Amino acid sequence: MTITDDYQPRAEHKFSFGLWTVGNRGRDAFGDFVRAYLSPIEIVSMLAEMGAWGVNLHDNDLVPIDATGAERDCIVRSFKKACADSGIVVPMATVSLFFHPVFRDGAFTANDPEVRAYALQKTMRAMDIGAELGAKIFVLWGGREGVETDACRRADDAIKRLREAVNYLCEYNIERGYGMKFALEAKPNEPRADIYMATTGQYLGFIPTLDHPEMVGVNPEVAHENMAGLNFMHAVAQAWEAGKLFHIDLNDQMPSRFDQDLRFGSSNLKAAFWLVKFLEDVDYEGPRHFDAHAYRTEDYEGVKDFARGCMRTYLILKEKAHRWNADREILGILNEISSSGRGTARVDRYSKEGAAQLLTHVFDKDEILKKRLPYERLDQLTVDMLLGVR
Ligand code: GCO
Ligand code: MN
Ligand code: MN
């Protein structure tokens, strides 16, 4: 059992932040910027100062959408140097297919074929940037791939268009030898009234229908599953079990609200604990990416408090998870609840004889019911631990 007592982030923890997260200037649908612009290079040095490991970016967080080839090359080169100088890696890159008005009807699923072609061109160019910076994970978040009215297109046609686009990008990845993995990020709504791929589970159903399913996984986000009223850790567990947890977006979200992107663990601490415990228990080796931003009330000192807080909370919860796994009383209860009271009947792999036996077996339900399931005690032990009295 390793107990971290300093909660200092180090490279081995693989904490990353998007340029758009710590660089978030606090503009929302109702009010303007509250913080000054920070250049990507300033953000990288801020992240290094705080002990983060990686930085992620959309194409246009770094390179303006209408930059010339020469401008693009120069920007990417100096950013790459800044990362190397600060010891910051670029594990993931992505593409903005939502900000420019041309994507008002979606990108890969838009009705206009020219918009769909432009979306592919923009994504291939974003992959080029990512590859140059060393990114091996490419996130696709279809923020505009949805509707306000279903009159505009058939939803299954949208899925077909999405499939064609992802297939196309996989071929490009192969042809260029980039060796990237795609991580698809679901969200139920916002900015569209309804987004087609609303949950991680929907993407897990979509991926096996692709030409190169092995190249494509998911990027679940805490807030997005919570917006759909779902248990985030369960979605992560399913993705993990399917070998599809290629990336993760950590943040927090209160129920029944707009997308809040709160500091990790700041709203639902207990859910954050089960999540961290899961990731650590299974030895998830990917980046721990915080897709969140500081309160609009903060200045840049506050942004640092926010970023440090995300990492610190993760590390505290990681330590709690180790303690939980080693707690004698908890272990005793876990042992008790997974064993059978009398152990006379159990099911192995299907066999004709086994099934015949099982069909005739007489179960003593009253006896089975005598077995205690002390989940109240187990949960309270967890709460005691989280509240620091155990
Ligand atoms: C959101 C999304 C985005 C994506 C990002 C990467 O709700 O706005 O979470 O932050 O993660 O665009 O593609
Ligand atoms: Mn989000
Ligand atoms: Mn996200």
Side-chain angles (χ1 to χ4, degrees):
M1 180 173 99
T2 31
I3 292 200
T4 327
D5 48 18
D6 57 0
Y7 311 120
Q8 285 305 310
R10 289 188 299 273
E12 75 210 47
H13 299 129
K14 293 197 171 173
F15 291 133
S16 60
F17 289 84
L19 283 180
W20 69 96
T21 66
V22 274
N24 177 286
R25 301 176 57 195
R27 185 165 60 171
D28 64 21
F30 302 93
D32 214 341
F33 298 125
V34 294
R35 291 184 282 268
Y37 171 77
L38 276 192
S39 73
I41 289 177
E42 288 169 317
I43 293 174
V44 165
S45 80
M46 185 204 262
L47 290 176
E49 177 194 326
M50 287 180 309
W53 159 79
V55 66
N56 305 316
L57 66 154
H58 299 91
D59 49 352
N60 305 137
D61 296 338
L62 183 64
V63 181
I65 192 164
D66 288 321
T68 64
E71 284 161 354
R72 173 241 181 255
D73 290 349
C74 171
I75 294 170
V76 175
R77 225 176 296 126
S78 59
F79 183 73
K80 190 172 176 176
K81 183 173 181 310
C83 290
D85 291 348
S86 318
I88 292 282
V89 299
V90 181
M92 177 273 259
T94 181
V95 58
S96 171
L97 297 177
F98 47 87
F99 193 80
H100 194 281
V102 76
F103 299 121
R104 69 197 195 281
D105 184 39
F108 301 143
T109 63
N111 281 338
D112 183 342
E114 200 172 358
V115 173
R116 303 205 293 273
Y118 176 55
L120 279 177
Q121 183 205 63
K122 194 169 188 297
T123 305
M124 290 189 290
R125 290 181 175 177
M127 288 169 65
D128 297 343
I129 295 175
E132 198 170 329
L133 295 171
K136 288 290 177 200
I137 302 165
F138 196 88
V139 164
L140 287 171
W141 172 60
R144 298 277 173 199
E145 315 289 11
V147 293
E148 282 69 46
T149 169
D150 281 317
C152 68
R153 72 182 76 80
R154 261 176 57 167
D156 60 335
D157 286 338
I159 305 301
K160 288 188 174 69
R161 288 174 187 168
L162 187 63
R163 180 180 302 113
E164 276 169 26
V166 179
N167 284 340
Y168 193 99
L169 296 169
C170 286
E171 297 300 339
Y172 185 68
N173 184 33
I174 295 169
E175 198 210 299
R176 290 287 166 123
Y178 285 158
M180 286 178 175
K181 297 268 190 189
F182 295 93
L184 310 180
E185 180 177 345
K187 187 174 183 181
N189 58 272
E190 206 184 350
R192 300 309 294 265
D194 284 298
I195 295 177
Y196 290 119
M197 290 297 185
T199 64
T200 298
Q202 279 173 273
Y203 268 136
L204 290 172
F206 171 74
I207 291 168
T209 73
L210 296 168
D211 289 347
H212 296 284
E214 72 292 344
M215 214 179 280
V216 186
V218 291
N219 177 37
E221 173 168 318
V222 178
H224 298 179
E225 303 293 318
N226 285 351
M227 286 167 74
L230 301 176
N231 181 317
F232 180 65
M233 187 270 281
H234 291 188
V236 169
Q238 191 185 355
W240 171 262
E241 205 270 337
K244 291 297 179 193
L245 188 64
F246 288 4
H247 198 260
I248 193 164
D249 277 3
L250 303 171
N251 55 16
D252 217 341
Q253 171 77 25
M254 295 173 198
S256 311
R257 309 290 212 283
F258 61 92
D259 181 20
Q260 296 174 309
D261 291 335
L262 296 169
R263 190 179 76 257
F264 179 62
S266 62
S267 171
N268 196 344
L269 202 50
K270 197 171 163 196
F273 169 71
W274 295 125
L275 174 67
V276 171
K277 181 169 141 45
F278 180 83
L279 294 175
E280 298 301 322
D281 283 352
V282 300
D283 285 325
Y284 166 73
E285 284 185 345
R288 275 80 171 154
H289 171 232
F290 298 104
D291 188 6
H293 54 73
Y295 301 147
R296 191 165 181 267
T297 41
E298 297 295 338
D299 59 10
Y300 276 110
E301 275 314 303
V303 170
K304 291 185 193 173
D305 289 337
F306 147 80
R308 280 195 205 96
C310 286
M311 297 187 281
R312 182 175 170 80
T313 300
Y314 188 100
L315 292 175
I316 296 171
L317 294 176
K318 179 177 168 177
E319 185 202 307
K320 300 274 184 200
H322 287 310
R323 287 167 60 100
W324 199 96
N325 288 341
D327 186 287
R328 284 185 174 282
E329 187 173 353
I330 290 175
L331 285 174
I333 297 176
L334 292 181
N335 195 31
E336 188 186 330
I337 59 183
S338 54
S339 68
S340 153
R342 304 185 317 154
T344 50
R346 48 172 62 244
V347 174
D348 299 316
R349 254 188 98 77
Y350 185 87
S351 71
K352 210 173 158 191
E353 305 72 47
Q357 246 176 38
L358 184 57
L359 282 168
T360 57
H361 186 83
V362 181
F363 285 93
D364 186 343
K365 295 189 280 299
D366 292 332
E367 189 59 33
I368 293 172
L369 270 172
K370 284 186 190 153
K371 187 183 149 67
R372 296 200 62 235
L373 294 172
Y375 297 169
E376 286 285 2
R377 177 74 188 148
L378 188 56
D379 190 73
Q380 187 61 43
L381 290 170
T382 308
V383 170
D384 278 11
M385 204 169 264
L386 289 179
L387 294 180
V389 298
R390 183 177 179 85

